[in-house]
């Protein structure tokens, strides 16, 4: 793991892929246990959660379905505070158990609005699995049901997280280097 540079910013290694994969295996086991006998719908929030969702979905030991939704609340390195639905749901969620897969919960604005919207669609239950969680950044009373890693409020990239669309394909997670 070496430093990487995007848009003139240098990022240093933060969480190795092997550590990420180990945590995904643990979360998958927990979900397998919690949803035994059920067939939940995994709802991947594109684009950032895609690598996490793919690995998590393949690791659970239960029958499940997956679908995708695209929301946008970031521009560059900061949140806009507004959630835009770019690509919506097509499934009927009435009576379904839904597991929202997020890359990161920081302010909590996106996940709060999404969970409220899903519950209004008549779901049996809605839980959230997030690879990363920034408790210091929360503006709402939300917490993922399944968390990969709680991290400080720093800007990170890799494993799905981007800087203006770049760096999503990095296998490790990197943090902005402090000067």
């Amino acid at each position: 793991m070496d430093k990487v540079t995007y848009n003139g910013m240098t990022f240093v290694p933060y969480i190795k892929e092997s550590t990420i994969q180990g945590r995904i295996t643990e979360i998958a086991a927990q979900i397998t246990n919690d949803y035994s006998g059920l067939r939940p719908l995994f709802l991947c929030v594109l684009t950032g959660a895609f690598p996490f969702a793919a690995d998590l979905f393949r690791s659970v030991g239960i029958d499940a379905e997956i679908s995708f939704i695209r929301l946008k609340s970031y521009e560059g390195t900061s949140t806009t505070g507004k959630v835009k639905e770019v690509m919506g749901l097509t499934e009927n969620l009435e009576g379904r158990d839904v597991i929202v897969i997020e890359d990161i919960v920081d302010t909590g604005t996106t996940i709060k609005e999404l969970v409220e919207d899903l519950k209004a669609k008549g779901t049996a239950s809605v839980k959230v699995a997030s690879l990363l969680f920034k408790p210091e950044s929360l503006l709402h009373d939300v917490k993922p049901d399944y968390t990969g890693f709680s991290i400080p409020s720093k800007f990170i990239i890799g494993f799905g997280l981007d800087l203006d669309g770049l760096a999503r394909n990095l296998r490790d997670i990197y943090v902005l280097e402090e000067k």
Side-chain angles (χ1 to χ4, degrees), residues 38-113:
L38 300 172
R39 195 180 75 209
L41 173 68
F42 283 71
L43 183 58
C44 173
V45 179
L46 294 174
T47 299
F50 175 69
F52 175 48
D55 291 348
L56 182 62
F57 187 70
R58 289 183 301 208
S59 298
V60 294
I62 53 172
D63 286 333
E65 295 174 58
I66 191 164
S67 189
F68 302 89
I69 189 169
R70 188 160 188 193
L71 308 169
K72 185 172 174 77
S73 66
Y74 261 81
E75 284 179 16
T77 60
S78 58
T79 182
T80 63
K82 297 183 186 108
V83 179
K84 257 188 348 197
E85 189 169 313
V86 182
M87 185 177 89
L89 268 175
T90 55
E91 284 79 9
N92 176 2
L93 299 181
E94 188 77 32
R96 296 293 311 264
D97 293 297
V98 177
I99 303 170
V100 175
I101 310 297
E102 261 288 20
D103 54 354
I104 189 165
V105 172
D106 50 24
T107 65
T109 301
T110 302
I111 204 65
K112 177 183 179 287
E113 289 186 26

